[in-house]
Amino acid sequence: MDNPEIGQPDETADVAVPVTLTVNGRRHDLMLDPRVTLLDALRNYLGFTGTKKGCDQGQCGACTVLVADRRIDSCLTLAVMNQDVPIVTIEGLGAPESLHPIQKAFIEHDGFQCGYCTSGQIMSAVALLEHEKPPASDTEIRERMSGNLCRCGAYPGIVEAIRCVRDAARNPVAGEAA
Amino acid sequence: MNPFRYVKATSPADALARMGRNPGARFVAGGTTLLDLMKLGVETPDVLIDINHLGLDGITEDRHGLHIGAHVSNTDLAEHDSVKKKWPVMSQAILAGASTQLRNMATVGGNLLQGNRCGYFRDVAMPCNRRDPGTGCGALGEQPGVEGINRYCAVLGTSPSCIAAHPSDMCVALVAVDAKVKISSPAFDRLERAEDFFRLPGDTPQIQTRLGPDELITGIELPELPAGARSMYLKVRDRTSYAYALTSAAVVLTLDAKGRIDHARVALGGVGSVPWRSHEAENALLSSPPTEEAFRAAAEAAFAGAVPYQYNGFKIALGQDTLVRVLNELVRPGAGERP
């Protein structure tokens, strides 16, 4: 028991606690107020500003990251709750000179306009194609990407990008020809 | 967010000991509702007890049915092979709710406690008896010259204190399959039928469930459905995906050798203060042939006691049509599709 005063309010509640996050394969030791969300820890304390803050209430998906290979909204979880699990952000996918296939496909198929939702869209698409049952139809792609809003309305390009990467993975030769 | 102390519980007993009798402490699992409400200032816990590491994340099956740990994610439950095969209504209901991101985070125990999504509850500047007893119900529009925004509100089970609709999809299916909620307290463990777990608002809308302040949900049990049972969940919403239900229906049905309905359990979502079991619809269906007329009669019976408010009267007709369509789909797959 690390806390003798079980169930009692704590005057020192606003004091920082040690938090260790493993982001894109690297371990980071931080001291954080327990109120800091995973999203704010990534952006404000670790500089992973590719992950965006949109609604900050789990409705827009701009803050989507992978935790233990699952996509989650990083705004609705505390940093302190995400220790000892691998976290992947958009920075962990590819670099400008070596883009991830989904990043490349978003460029090729006009999957964005202003770009604010894009890293969340891409993280969601990566989870969808690499860690979940692949979507069988465009309808299914739309349904399973519905947790990522795009106010520019780039949806047709997003669906197209995901479909093409899915098809290329199924049939590498045809995928390259397309 | 208010400052709080964060502690990590290591077992259900440890979680309960840490909760003690502190009314300011909250358990946090997926956090998708609690953190949202904390940011809004609706929830202001002084202690947050992390219950993500209690070993309650397994699903096991035996001859009685399925035993689901409280910390199983919505995704894992919906994608479980047995659930998809034997309790399709559960899988369909869960996948109809929220987004993949949220279903990956949210737990079945948390889903039972998600409270409500009424805009007045979520806005601390507004009156809400559920959040601040005695302040009134903003959705009713009781103040002269101030409208109540109640299009999403319930038409069944409401009271003058609160007309919010219960927002869960999963809980509607839990009621339809007669699931049991496993609850632990420092003194003993108990089972509560999902149907009885939720409390009507009455004049104490702030008390939403029968879970005591010193109790913890440890799991859910899904009993085997009757042999030959068909089950289905259908949700109607403002957009195709990722929206709360305007209306929904979960039905478990069996037909006898003569093709008559010999078992029916009907639960409705989006229309009730709680996930709404309709005994009236079930009674109307029992022993009837599975005809459109019988379905229509059941749907009318289900909403006979409905009380509409200024902007949600449409839910009565829509809720009836939703139930009729599910019943049609169950006995004649494809029949409920509109051209």
Side-chain angles (χ1 to χ4, degrees):
Chain A
M1 297 279 163
D2 54 347
N3 239 309
E5 304 155 321
I6 287 165
Q8 295 303 307
D10 185 349
E11 273 82 35
T12 61
D14 55 348
V15 169
V17 296
V19 175
T20 300
L21 297 177
T22 308
V23 186
N24 304 328
R26 257 196 69 195
R27 195 185 135 108
H28 301 269
D29 295 313
L30 300 166
M31 290 299 289
L32 297 177
D33 185 310
R35 288 176 286 183
V36 174
T37 61
L38 177 58
L39 170 62
D40 287 342
L42 290 170
R43 286 181 57 83
N44 302 348
Y45 294 85
L46 294 172
F48 292 111
T49 51
T51 306
K52 299 298 186 236
K53 183 183 278 194
C55 69
D56 205 25
Q57 50 182 4
Q59 293 182 9
C60 76
C63 67
T64 303
V65 299
L66 306 189
V67 172
D69 290 340
R70 290 197 161 190
R71 46 176 158 153
I72 67 157
D73 291 330
S74 61
C75 71
L76 282 188
T77 186
L78 299 171
V80 69
M81 292 164 63
N82 290 275
Q83 306 187 77
D84 311 313
V85 280
I87 298 160
V88 179
T89 68
I90 189 86
E91 290 89 346
L93 286 190
E97 63 282 0
S98 57
L99 292 175
H100 185 283
I102 291 171
Q103 291 175 311
K104 217 181 279 178
F106 266 65
I107 295 171
E108 282 165 13
H109 298 278
D110 266 344
F112 53 88
Q113 186 177 312
C114 83
Y116 200 82
C117 72
T118 309
S119 48
Q121 300 278 1
I122 288 175
M123 295 315 291
S124 226
V126 167
L128 176 63
L129 294 176
E130 297 183 359
H131 303 294
E132 299 169 18
K133 191 176 62 123
S137 63
D138 283 8
T139 307
E140 199 181 329
I141 293 173
R142 279 192 284 268
E143 162 60 32
R144 291 170 60 188
M145 289 295 291
S146 69
N148 293 85
L149 306 189
C150 170
R151 292 295 80 154
C152 301
Y155 298 114
I158 293 169
V159 172
E160 211 172 278
I162 293 171
R163 187 205 311 130
C164 288
V165 174
R166 177 203 63 192
D167 292 346
R170 276 183 187 165
N171 186 345
V173 180
E176 274 163 32
Chain B
M1 258 189 255
N2 269 30
F4 55 83
R5 190 159 53 86
Y6 168 88
V7 296
K8 201 159 141 181
T10 55
S11 68
D14 182 39
L16 288 166
R18 287 173 184 276
M19 174 61 76
R21 296 200 167 272
N22 178 5
R26 290 287 182 276
F27 292 131
V28 63
T32 55
T33 294
L34 183 59
L35 283 173
D36 185 28
L37 293 178
M38 285 165 66
K39 289 181 187 186
L40 295 169
V42 174
E43 285 282 351
T44 54
D46 52 45
V47 181
L48 210 55
I49 305 167
D50 185 340
I51 53 168
N52 283 296
H53 309 278
L54 308 187
L56 299 175
D57 47 8
I59 302 180
T60 57
E61 193 171 5
D62 62 22
R63 62 194 171 84
H64 300 297
L66 209 63
H67 305 267
I68 303 154
H71 189 248
V72 168
S73 72
N74 284 16
T75 297
D76 286 342
L77 184 57
E79 300 292 347
H80 191 270
D81 285 339
S82 282
V83 176
K84 285 197 281 193
K85 206 169 107 196
K86 293 163 75 176
W87 293 271
V89 62
M90 283 298 308
S91 189
Q92 291 161 3
I94 293 169
L95 293 176
S99 64
T100 304
Q101 286 97 315
L102 292 171
R103 292 191 296 268
N104 283 343
M105 306 170 80
T107 64
V108 298
N111 197 309
L112 283 160
L113 298 175
Q114 68 174 297
N116 78 86
R117 300 288 304 185
C118 181
Y120 295 95
F121 176 75
R122 291 170 56 78
D123 186 342
V124 293
M126 292 286 171
C128 173
N129 288 320
R130 201 172 272 249
R131 189 189 63 246
D132 293 315
T135 54
C137 173
L140 274 172
E142 292 160 314
Q143 288 168 291
V146 181
E147 272 198 339
I149 308 297
N150 50 39
R151 181 170 174 272
Y152 269 97
C153 288
V155 293
L156 291 164
T158 59
S159 79
S161 302
C162 177
I163 64 170
H166 195 278
S168 172
D169 295 296
M170 187 192 86
C171 294
V172 180
L174 287 177
V175 169
V177 304
D178 198 16
K180 313 287 187 297
V181 184
K182 288 173 71 176
I183 296 168
S184 274
S185 72
F188 57 92
D189 295 345
R190 65 191 182 90
L191 282 179
E192 180 98 67
R193 298 173 70 199
E195 169 184 5
D196 300 328
F197 181 77
F198 304 97
R199 286 174 51 125
L200 289 171
D203 51 13
T204 53
Q206 71 277 19
I207 306 170
Q208 302 179 31
T209 70
R210 298 197 185 279
L211 189 74
D214 59 345
E215 291 185 318
L216 172 72
I217 297 172
T218 57
I220 293 175
E221 298 193 350
L222 301 188
E224 290 281 343
L225 296 184
R230 310 154 189 219
S231 75
M232 182 179 169
Y233 184 77
L234 179 69
K235 174 177 182 177
V236 178
R237 46 195 156 173
D238 278 329
R239 53 188 183 200
T240 318
S241 181
Y242 199 15
Y244 286 94
L246 294 170
T247 63
S248 76
V251 178
V252 178
L253 197 78
T254 65
L255 301 179
D256 66 16
K258 291 179 183 161
R260 287 172 189 273
I261 296 165
D262 64 353
H263 171 94
R265 265 185 85 103
V266 174
L268 305 172
V271 293
S273 295
V274 296
W276 191 262
R277 181 172 178 197
S278 180
H279 294 278
E280 295 83 357
E282 292 170 12
N283 292 337
L285 290 169
L286 274 181
S287 310
S288 296
T291 60
E292 175 85 19
E293 295 71 41
F295 297 161
R296 188 55 62 184
E300 276 167 20
F303 286 88
V307 179
Y309 297 91
Q310 190 176 1
Y311 294 110
N312 72 350
F314 73 96
K315 284 193 173 187
I316 295 175
L318 190 62
Q320 290 173 341
D321 286 352
T322 307
L323 177 55
V324 169
R325 180 161 163 184
V326 170
L327 291 164
N328 269 320
E329 277 288 331
L330 282 174
V331 296
R332 289 180 288 277
E337 296 290 338
R338 295 282 154 84

